[in-house]
Amino acid sequence: MYNYSMDIYEKLNKRNLFKLILGLGNKNEDEIKAISQIYSKAGVDIFDITPDVEIFKLVKDTIERQGFSLKELPICVSYPIGDDKHGKKAFVDKTKCLRCRHCIKKCSYGAISFEQEVIIDTKKCIGCEACKCSAITYKKEEIALFESIETFQNYGVKFIELHISTPDIKVIKDTFIKLITKFPDLNFGVCVSREKFADIQLINLLKDLITLYDKKLIIQADGLSMNGGKDTTASTLQAVAIAQLLQELDAYIIISGGTNDKSKHLLDLCNVKANGIAIGSFGRLLIKDEVSNNEFWYNNNTFNSTLAKAVNLVKSVKDNERNN
């Protein structure tokens, strides 16, 4: 049994934090409810969700039904800053669509179907862009950042993550300063990748943010974003590489993007220090077939076998805790 009473920062200091990313664009309520139930029992330390009040309430209600409070099992709300694909949805231009249906096969989340024409379920779409097609475009949902964060703060949220995908350093710093000034009681983290920055630019930006912040910043080092469905070390390689680049910063480093049950092993193999691992696509797809089955809700054998999969994934991340 994992220690749910331990503070998030204690777990970061012990280098065994496990964050389960429910998907910044994911609004599939049935799936989220089932996954939240399984992983709250399996030992996840913190959930990461899209900035949607109804999704927040659903996850909060689910973990409370498992006997946990937000203090014991907190929820982090993530926001896209700039052109971050995590905040986008796919839309099909029916005048360009050839009805070839190749996009349906490419979607791992069942967000695309065909009923005389291609239909995209935006609640299931996570914006991964795997369905690339000349007839499909991706648009970001506009969010009133400050008003939204204030709403979640009133609901008891303590952790906010900013996905930085704009190369405009001034915009990043100005937004960050305004947020930490307006919300001094919240804990802020940033998710960064090397997609928009050269290595030295990224390090200098993060050093500036660390200097501006009066707490220890949580940095989520994003490797191959939304590529975690693959159970290979190659999938998680770039996440480990960016963690290596950032590990000397005075900050907490969590790896994400292509992460899976081999991520902890690869960190150890490369002697790269990280304070935690965030798993999204791999964790969700690992149990997707089971939670999509109606038997999940009333068949104890199905539920227990699904839980066992999640527990094994959690153990692969938190083996430091098992060895303590």
Side-chain angles (χ1 to χ4, degrees), residues 229-282:
K230 299 176 181 178
D231 189 17
T232 64
T233 50
S235 171
T236 201
L237 179 61
Q238 292 306 312
V240 174
I242 189 171
Q244 182 183 46
L245 176 69
L246 305 178
Q247 67 179 339
E248 298 305 320
L249 293 175
D250 183 21
Y252 293 114
I253 306 298
I254 300 174
I255 64 168
S256 67
T259 45
N260 53 35
D261 58 3
K262 295 179 173 58
S263 298
K264 178 65 171 61
H265 172 68
L266 190 58
L267 281 168
D268 293 341
L269 192 65
C270 298
N271 196 28
V272 173
K273 297 177 181 178
N275 301 92
I277 298 175
I279 294 182
S281 296
F282 182 82

Side-chain angles (χ1 to χ4, degrees), residues 98-267:
L98 300 176
R99 301 181 180 179
C100 64
R101 310 184 198 185
H102 291 320
C103 57
I104 298 175
K105 298 175 183 177
K106 294 177 182 178
C107 181
S108 300
Y109 296 92
I112 310 176
S113 59
F114 187 86
E115 296 177 15
Q116 296 185 327
E117 59 186 22
V118 170
I119 299 171
I120 297 178
D121 185 340
T122 56
K123 285 191 174 183
K124 294 181 180 180
C125 174
I126 66 166
C128 65
E129 301 186 9
C131 60
K132 282 184 179 176
C133 170
S134 60
I136 294 178
T137 56
Y138 306 93
K139 300 175 185 177
K140 186 173 77 170
E141 295 181 306
E142 295 302 323
I143 299 170
L145 180 63
F146 290 84
E147 292 87 343
S148 178
I149 292 177
E150 186 172 21
T151 297
F152 283 110
Q153 183 182 39
N154 291 337
Y155 278 118
V157 168
K158 298 295 184 183
F159 292 89
I160 299 294
E161 183 174 274
L162 308 174
H163 283 241
I164 296 174
S165 294
T166 173
D168 192 330
I169 291 176
K170 185 177 185 305
V171 168
I172 295 168
K173 288 183 181 179
D174 287 348
T175 302
F176 188 72
I177 291 170
K178 289 176 182 177
L179 286 171
I180 62 176
T181 301
K182 182 174 176 61
F183 302 104
D185 295 331
L186 294 181
N187 302 291
F188 282 91
V190 294
C191 180
V192 296
S193 72
R194 291 186 285 186
E195 185 178 3
K196 303 289 184 180
F197 303 96
D199 289 355
I200 190 65
Q201 288 177 312
L202 181 58
I203 291 172
N204 287 338
L205 168 62
L206 291 172
K207 284 181 177 179
D208 287 344
L209 297 184
I210 289 168
T211 301
L212 291 168
Y213 198 37
D214 63 359
K215 303 176 187 177
K216 194 166 182 178
L217 187 65
I218 300 173
I219 300 173
Q220 189 162 297
D222 205 22
L224 292 177
S225 184
M226 296 188 180
N227 196 40
K230 299 176 181 178
D231 189 17
T232 64
T233 50
S235 171
T236 201
L237 179 61
Q238 292 306 312
V240 174
I242 189 171
Q244 182 183 46
L245 176 69
L246 305 178
Q247 67 179 339
E248 298 305 320
L249 293 175
D250 183 21
Y252 293 114
I253 306 298
I254 300 174
I255 64 168
S256 67
T259 45
N260 53 35
D261 58 3
K262 295 179 173 58
S263 298
K264 178 65 171 61
H265 172 68
L266 190 58
L267 281 168

